[in-house]
Amino acid sequence: MKSILRAWNFISLLLIGLVSCQMSIPGGSPPSGTTSSSSSDNLCTQYVNCVSDGSDSMVTFDRSGGNDTVLISMTTMAVNTSGWMAVAFSYNDQMDNDSVIDCILLKNGTVIIRNSYNTRDDKNNTEIAEPFLGIQVVNASYGNGVLQCIFNRSITVNSSSNRIFNLTRPYYILIATGAIDDQGNKLYHGNTSTYMSPNAVDVTSDFLVPRDRHYFLDTLGNSATFAYIPSPVEMEFEIQGPVSKTGRWISLGLSKDIHMSDDSVLDCLLLTNNTVTVQNSYNLQSYGGNQPLNAEGITVIKTSLINGRLYCAFRRKIANFSNSQIFPLDKPYYLFLGDGNLNADGSKIQHGNTPVVSASAVDVRAVSGNVSRQDEEVFSTVSTSFQSMTATPATTEIPGYSVFPNGNTGDKVMYKLSDDGNSVEFIISGPPQDQAASWIAVGFSYDQSMNDDSVIDCIHLQNGTFIIQNSFNVKGGNGVRGGNEAVNTDGIKLLKADYSGSQMSCQLTRNLSSDNPRVFPFNQTYYLLLASGTATPSGEKNYHTPNRHAVSSVMLNLTAYRGNIDSYQTKQLLRAHGCLMITAFVMLMCGAILIARYYKTCWPEDKLCNTAVWFAVHRFIMVTGLFCCAAGFIIIFCYSKGKLNRTFGDNSPSYFWAHGPMGIAVMILIAMNPLIALFRCDPDSERRWIFNWLHWFVGTCCQTLAGITLFFGIKMGESDNYRLNHYSVFWILIAFVGFHVFIEFLLVVEKCISDRHSKQRFTVSYGMSSPGESASAVKHAGDVSRESLLFRYFVLAVYVLITMGLWLAMIILIGGGFQMGSN
């Protein structure tokens, strides 16, 4: 039995050393505002500024009557003899704290228009003290089953209760219908008589409630979208893209083949006088150029030029054209998307960049999903994922992009080297802090402080425009906090910008270098800064609150793929996990096992807490170690959000993937031994040997597995995924394991010599005993000599001092975050 015990203990300790030595050997899209809105447009086919519930109610908004009012028309067929329709203006997509306008048909046939308010409880709509403030009735009628209320609503009102909202910002539009009681009070509408717009809209300017759109994009930021609206005679199109000057065009061509000849074309033109217009044109046969036609079959919805982005929205007839060069939309075509310059007379100059062509002929009335190009296997990963990213910013990632998130705010920046290698592409997104004007910015810093940093800003203003610019964090001093100063827009090209009320995002590229010293070149490494806050109406950034910024834990090369990037704040969780686990293994668990194995007979007459000294010390240290392990276990699960392997790449060593499951196994084993001890029998019981062997086996397995798991974790900390510590931590841990093995060797040798002199059995120190042998007989087999006690005390003192030194060195290196260079 003695030889088995010796062999097992040394094998388990040497196994840890062998694993550590082996490991040390080398080689060892579209904006979210374009999402589907179900069938909400059925009644709005002929209206631009229109919201409907898709079946029997709609509301339209018109600014043409004056600068201070909006003409609102509410129409419903859901009311029979009496009832109500209401339109609400909401800050969010919930029916609470909303300003409401009611169109009520009383039971005597009278129609009234008034203000009301939705309180926090969405079933509670209340009248207010100013029911008619800001409302000028134009018509209120009921006939042929149709209830209609038309009125002018003041854009700004002076409401003493603040329950009549000014229409100076975007709101979600809510529509509901219901019945009234005998007194004319509105009854709750239930859940089936309501509709909410899928995004916030500004009712004081032209808008379109999003439809089920399909996208066709090139690699330059140009895009064409089309939607089959509930109309047998029209399709809806949007053409947009970045422009750097006037006199530019972006066009969508319809071709019978993949050759740019004999094609019908839809043009979005930015003339030299800054006018934006839409027209038909025709690509002549045999590549004879482009011939402008007219606007036959085109109904313009909206055109704009905002922050260097040209935009045209329009409807186009499906068929029945007088000119055969305007193709009907009742058959499939290859799609072309291109851009170029205009002559002074507005005619198109041949494109400079080769237009992109769809991978196949497309029936725009029946296409499913988005349209892929000839040069790609599937539709642009960036563009389709951009739509998903804006919808679920906290979780969505795009292949090929490195991702740096702020887990506290939901802000995120993704970046990659552009396809041409001359710029870095960024996608900056997050929830706006203020519905009026907000900003999200990514900074590039030589340190982890916000001073003297180059910054890229994504700023959304209340009027719906975006400002994309370079700025610079100015260092403060003498008690004065630093600020941020706008620099320029040099080298920045906006690809897409979107605001949906709950999410804002900017997709852009920035050149690798700049002549301005405040626009840092991307041929160096930087810490990434990510922050967000509110802005003034003119677009100046207000200072962010402390919790709305994050700093990367390492310096980054923005032209190289890095994957998921942790913030400095998040890295502290990893450091805490490592420190707790090293403390449990090095400082506590190994020492507690040493006490139980070799020091049971050192204080035979002394008591601590009414029990043997060795047992009290062993129990206290092991319980403390259990708490350390539990704390480290909880911390790492909080960091990884419950995932065993959070950020490993496909090329990561196999033992990276083993660390998590092995850590769970260690946690189970270290929790088992105290539970086993609760059911141990009396020391003099003939079955006590069962507990002794089981307790020893679980503890030894736990010690061995914990050591191996710890080595795996240290190697992970050195890797590019984490870079938490210096490689010397690994060698310090090897030194500790070697030192511990040497101490156990000394104590085993001393124990053998002491047992030979005192004629005791080796099992005294282990207290194991065999079946049928009394444990007390083993325990009291003899006394230990004074020389032996002094030697053991001396070894214990040396062990504690050296172990504390090694432990402290590892804690300083890991907890202090010492790292090797940058990445």
Side-chain angles (χ1 to χ4, degrees), residues 1-2 15 19 51 95 228 465 514 525 762 783 811 819:
M1 189 63 67
K2 178 166 69 173
L15 179 60
V19 170
V51 181
M95 201 166 288
Y228 185 64
T465 61
S514 171
T525 58
F762 180 76
D783 296 325
I811 293 299
Q819 58 192 46

Side-chain angles (χ1 to χ4, degrees), residues 595-743:
I595 292 290
R597 284 180 178 170
Y598 304 106
Y599 289 86
K600 284 185 178 180
T601 57
C602 286
W603 303 277
E605 305 299 331
D606 297 325
K607 298 288 184 181
L608 183 62
C609 299
N610 295 320
T611 187
V613 172
W614 76 266
F615 180 74
V617 173
H618 173 78
R619 180 175 58 186
F620 174 78
I621 296 176
M622 289 303 292
V623 169
T624 305
L626 173 62
F627 282 122
C628 286
C629 283
F633 189 78
I634 293 171
I635 285 173
I636 202 62
F637 262 77
C638 291
Y639 165 78
S640 65
K641 296 180 174 58
K643 298 178 181 179
L644 286 180
N645 304 303
R646 182 170 175 260
T647 57
F648 305 149
D650 293 336
N651 296 324
S652 297
S654 58
Y655 56 81
F656 276 27
W657 302 90
H659 179 79
M662 289 175 65
I664 294 175
V666 169
M667 191 65 218
I668 294 172
L669 289 172
I670 200 172
M672 279 179 60
N673 252 352
L675 294 176
I676 294 173
L678 293 177
F679 299 97
R680 68 184 184 275
C681 52
D682 188 82
D684 292 325
S685 172
E686 62 179 9
R687 294 186 175 87
R688 176 66 178 219
W689 67 274
I690 298 176
F691 162 75
N692 292 340
W693 277 103
L694 183 61
H695 188 67
W696 168 84
F697 178 77
V698 171
T700 303
C701 289
C702 180
Q703 182 187 26
T704 305
L705 191 61
I708 298 171
T709 305
L710 201 58
F711 275 111
F712 288 174
I714 295 297
K715 294 301 290 184
M716 290 167 61
E718 294 176 15
S719 70
D720 286 340
N721 290 81
Y722 300 103
R723 289 194 174 230
L724 286 178
N725 47 65
H726 194 276
Y727 66 89
S728 58
V729 175
F730 181 81
W731 294 104
I732 294 174
L733 188 59
I734 289 180
F736 168 76
V737 172
F739 172 68
H740 183 87
V741 171
F742 175 71
I743 291 297

Side-chain angles (χ1 to χ4, degrees), residues 257-263 283-290 350:
D257 52 38
I258 61 172
H259 304 293
M260 198 165 295
S261 172
D262 187 22
D263 314 314
N283 288 335
L284 299 173
Q285 296 185 13
S286 302
Y287 305 97
N290 179 268
Q350 187 175 10

Side-chain angles (χ1 to χ4, degrees), residues 89-100:
F89 305 94
S90 178
Y91 288 103
N92 53 37
D93 57 358
Q94 304 296 321
M95 201 166 288
D96 58 56
N97 290 343
D98 314 316
S99 180
V100 183

